[in-house]
Amino acid sequence: MTVRTVLRMGEPLLLEKALPIVAFDTPELHALIEDMQDTMQAMDGAGIAAPQIGVSLQVVIFGVGQNPRYPDAEQVPYTVLINPTLTPVGDEIEEGWEGCLSVPGMRGLVPRYERLHYAGFDQFGNTIDRLVSGFHARVVQHECDHLNGILYPMRIADLSQFGYTDIIFPGQDIPDD
Ligand code: NI
């Protein structure tokens, strides 16, 4: 088990475009994903992207069971997604509160496509192809943004809707990051 240090906003690597994975089912790829899993679980995240642990490759993992960070959120199946492509379905935009392990202690209201199609591969090279909506669609957009050097504060439409978690949601037992 290796919990890696999560890079925080301001780190130049978080602004880079990540490179695609060219070889699947390798020891290096499995080790990377294991470290991402361990780190995400230790920090109680809904997802994590490889650049957040300092690896500029197109790998994200996400999944939400019963997560205290998002107590009212719908569940999202645990997914390893590599070399993803996202295609919005329709033009409906929905705003929702987001946090990020790279922006600890804060929340912002972020507009995202309500529905989208995403495709890519798992760590073995199997194809992933899904049509999703709501919170699942939000999580995928947030994580895949990391692969393009975009952090959620860069998406906030109204910066008055960005602040410290314990101020915006006083008295709620939401983890720090
Ligand atoms: Ni994030």
Side-chain angles (χ1 to χ4, degrees), residues 52 99-101 142-143 146:
Q52 291 182 275
C100 179
L101 299 176
H142 176 114
E143 295 310 329
H146 279 296

Side-chain angles (χ1 to χ4, degrees), residues 10-132:
E11 187 72 51
L13 190 143
L14 290 173
L15 303 176
E16 289 180 10
K17 279 189 180 292
L19 294 171
I21 292 290
V22 293
F24 293 90
D25 200 13
T26 64
E28 293 79 12
L29 182 57
H30 292 308
L32 169 63
I33 289 164
E34 194 171 312
D35 283 2
M36 290 170 66
Q37 281 170 358
D38 291 344
T39 305
M40 182 174 91
Q41 280 169 11
M43 298 186 74
D44 207 12
I48 193 167
Q52 291 182 275
I53 60 166
V55 178
S56 195
L57 293 170
Q58 292 179 20
V59 181
V60 303
I61 66 175
F62 52 84
V64 182
Q66 285 297 330
N67 187 324
R69 281 166 62 89
Y70 302 96
D72 302 322
E74 56 210 271
Q75 297 195 14
V76 178
Y78 176 74
T79 302
V80 173
L81 181 63
I82 295 171
N83 299 352
T85 56
L86 274 56
T87 310
V89 175
D91 51 14
E92 190 182 340
I93 303 288
E94 193 166 82
E95 293 207 306
W97 290 96
E98 295 186 15
C100 179
L101 299 176
S102 295
V103 192
M106 304 197 80
R107 288 290 185 282
L109 195 61
V110 183
R112 300 284 187 187
Y113 288 105
E114 162 66 12
R115 287 167 62 82
L116 80 145
H117 172 257
Y118 70 90
F121 303 91
D122 70 10
Q123 64 269 51
F124 303 102
N126 300 309
T127 302
I128 293 173
D129 196 308
R130 291 179 181 157
L131 180 64
V132 298

